[in-house]
Every structure is written in C-alpha cells, then in structure tokens.
Amino acid sequence: MKESIIRATGKYQASIYSSDVDYWRFVSDYGEPDNIDMNGYCTWYDNEDGIVPYEAFSGKKSLCSYIFPEYVKRIGGLSFSETALSGSLIIPEDVESIGHMAFYSTYISGITFNNQLMKIGADAFCSCQNTSGRLLFPESLISIGRDAFYSCNFSGDLYLPENLEIIEEQAFMYAGSFSSGLRIPEKIHKIGFSAFCGCKFSGGLNLNNCIEFSGPQCFSGCGFSGELSIPEGMKIIPSLSFARCNFTKVVFPVPPSRGRDCRSYAGKCDRW
C-alpha cells in the first residue's frame, strides 16, 4: 500500500505557555495531520522550520510508524503522545530539544539519541512501558526534565554524559532495572527529589564532589551496593535519600576527631 504523505508547507505559530517552554501549533492549508494510511504509516516532508509541531499527532491511535523529515531541529510537546508508535526510536541527527510529553505513553521499545540533543522536556518518555535495553545519552545533553523517563522499563546500562547539568524531580523514577551502577557527572550540583527513586542498579553509586543537594528520596529503593562517599559540599542529606540501598560502608567528609556518624558532620542528616 502506498504511504500517506503529509506535506508541511505552511508556517508555524508560537504560543508561550510558560516562561521556559514553547509549544508549537501546526498552521497550513492542510490543518491537523489526520491523513494517516490504513497501516498507520505517515511521513512528513518539507518542514522548512525544522519543527514537529505541538500536538501534531497527539492521541491518534492509528499512527504506529513515522519517518521524520530530513531536517528536524525540535520535536514539539505532545507531538506523538498516546499514539501507537512502536519499535526502536532513532532521534534524527539535527534535533536539539524534545518537548514535554512528546512520546508520552507510546509503545516504543528503545531509544537511540543523536549527538546534538541538548534538552529533554518534562514527561517526554513518561509511561513508555515497552522500553528495554540501554539508556545512553549523548555528550551534548544538558538538561533532563521532570518525570522524563518515569515508569519505563529499561534494562541495560544507564549513562549520564559529562555535560549534563540538570536532573529534575522524578526524572528517572521507576525507569527500570539497570545492569550497571550510577555515576553522577561533575557539572551536576543539585538533583531533584525522587529523581532515581524506585530504579534498580546492579552496582554502586558515585556522587561527584560538587553535589550540594539531592532531594528527598532521591535514590530511595535503588539497591546500590559497595561503598558510598558523601561529597564534601553536601551539607544536607534529606529524608530517605538512600533508603532501601545496600551500601556496605558510608564515608562522611569529616576529620576522624569529629566522629563518624552523620550528626557529627557539618550538616544535617535525616532518616535514610
């Protein structure tokens, strides 16, 4: 059967929803892209602005396959949410940002990121429960939004790149059972609450020396093993930060003369 082609020759109109998120609405003579063939297959060509617009295919249960145009710079919010997209997702090489809920609750089985991606928005891959395998981010990535990978089922390695600066709350909450430990890159100073809560790791946790704060329940239930060294700059350990982990030893950055329990060190330690 011949594929259904939507030619996006119109312009895109921006509307600001909040101070830091742009949502994009498709404006052209074709209106919304309802023209999907019987196999749920669609391609999108001639996108001169390089944007898959806001809500482009959102909720269209007939869409199960999609070929990105040759040049895409931004995947807009809700663009493929709650569609039947399945299989392994390959992010096009020119994409710099993925909007909020872009692939929310789809059936994708894995994700391959490009080398230009800088931002992943809130809930971008939330509830993609068919996912498996590795989750490897490119070195270009700077920010991972709230709930970005909440309730996924990844099962391989998790790699966080050196240039990553922001991990928002619940970004990886219940994201899967990873086959490695976790290393937090040097540029991250704060981690949102419950960021990794409920994930499972088969190795240790390596916190960088620049971390000042991690939110409550940040690593709760992760099952880390081995030795944990608390960074010198971390003056507060919030409640349940490391609950239900399996560390054999925890080292605090205090001189021996000041003792070894967390309350003798220059910060506050609540329940683990």
Side-chain angles (χ1 to χ4, degrees):
M1 180 177 294
K2 186 178 179 181
E3 66 187 29
S4 174
I5 297 176
I6 300 172
R7 293 190 176 276
T9 57
K11 295 290 184 180
Y12 299 97
Q13 174 178 308
S15 59
I16 306 302
Y17 181 82
S18 68
S19 60
D20 60 346
V21 181
D22 291 343
Y23 294 136
W24 297 87
R25 176 71 66 175
F26 180 48
V27 179
S28 78
D29 293 338
Y30 293 91
E32 292 191 3
D34 292 314
N35 190 21
I36 300 168
D37 73 13
M38 292 179 61
N39 291 327
Y41 188 74
C42 175
T43 59
W44 198 316
Y45 294 106
D46 300 335
N47 187 334
E48 60 188 71
D49 290 337
I51 300 167
V52 178
Y54 173 61
E55 285 189 333
F57 299 96
S58 180
K60 300 189 184 304
K61 300 296 185 182
S62 59
L63 181 69
C64 60
S65 183
Y66 177 86
I67 294 180
F68 286 94
E70 184 174 348
Y71 172 71
V72 175
K73 193 171 184 178
R74 177 183 299 179
I75 299 175
L78 288 160
S79 50
F80 297 97
S81 67
E82 297 184 290
T83 63
L85 276 182
S86 61
S88 184
L89 174 65
I90 299 176
I91 303 299
E93 61 181 15
D94 293 311
V95 170
E96 295 178 355
S97 67
I98 299 174
H100 88 293
M101 297 181 73
F103 297 94
Y104 171 80
S105 193
T106 58
Y107 297 90
I108 59 174
S109 57
I111 310 168
T112 299
F113 293 103
N114 63 351
N115 292 320
Q116 305 296 324
L117 186 65
M118 293 186 288
K119 180 179 180 179
I120 298 175
D123 299 281
F125 298 95
C126 179
S127 296
C128 291
Q129 296 186 353
N130 281 13
T131 51
S132 62
R134 302 183 300 175
L135 186 54
L136 309 179
F137 296 104
E139 295 299 332
S140 56
L141 189 65
I142 296 173
S143 173
I144 300 175
R146 184 194 71 250
D147 294 322
F149 296 92
Y150 180 91
S151 192
C152 291
N153 283 303
F154 292 99
S155 56
D157 293 342
L158 171 61
Y159 173 73
L160 302 178
E162 293 300 321
N163 289 318
L164 187 63
E165 297 178 5
I166 299 171
I167 300 177
E168 294 187 358
E169 58 267 25
Q170 300 181 175
F172 295 95
M173 190 173 184
Y174 301 117
S177 297
F178 295 100
S179 60
S180 62
L182 177 64
R183 179 182 177 275
I184 304 299
E186 294 292 329
K187 291 186 177 181
I188 293 179
H189 294 177
K190 297 180 181 180
I191 305 175
F193 71 84
S194 297
F196 295 92
C197 179
C199 289
K200 302 298 180 184
F201 292 90
S202 61
L205 172 62
N206 185 355
L207 299 173
N208 70 55
N209 291 324
C210 299
I211 288 184
E212 300 170 359
F213 178 80
S214 63
Q217 303 186 63
C218 186
F219 302 103
S220 179
C222 290
F224 293 113
S225 59
E227 180 178 302
L228 172 65
S229 294
I230 302 297
E232 200 167 318
M234 185 178 281
K235 302 304 182 185
I236 297 176
I237 301 177
S239 179
L240 302 174
S241 292
F242 304 100
R244 302 192 307 280
C245 289
N246 299 311
F247 298 115
T248 56
K249 182 180 180 181
V250 179
V251 179
F252 292 92
V254 295
S257 60
R258 295 184 59 188
R260 295 184 179 180
D261 69 283
C262 62
R263 297 187 187 280
S264 69
Y265 124 86
K268 175 185 176 184
C269 179
D270 292 330
R271 294 175 299 155
W272 285 46

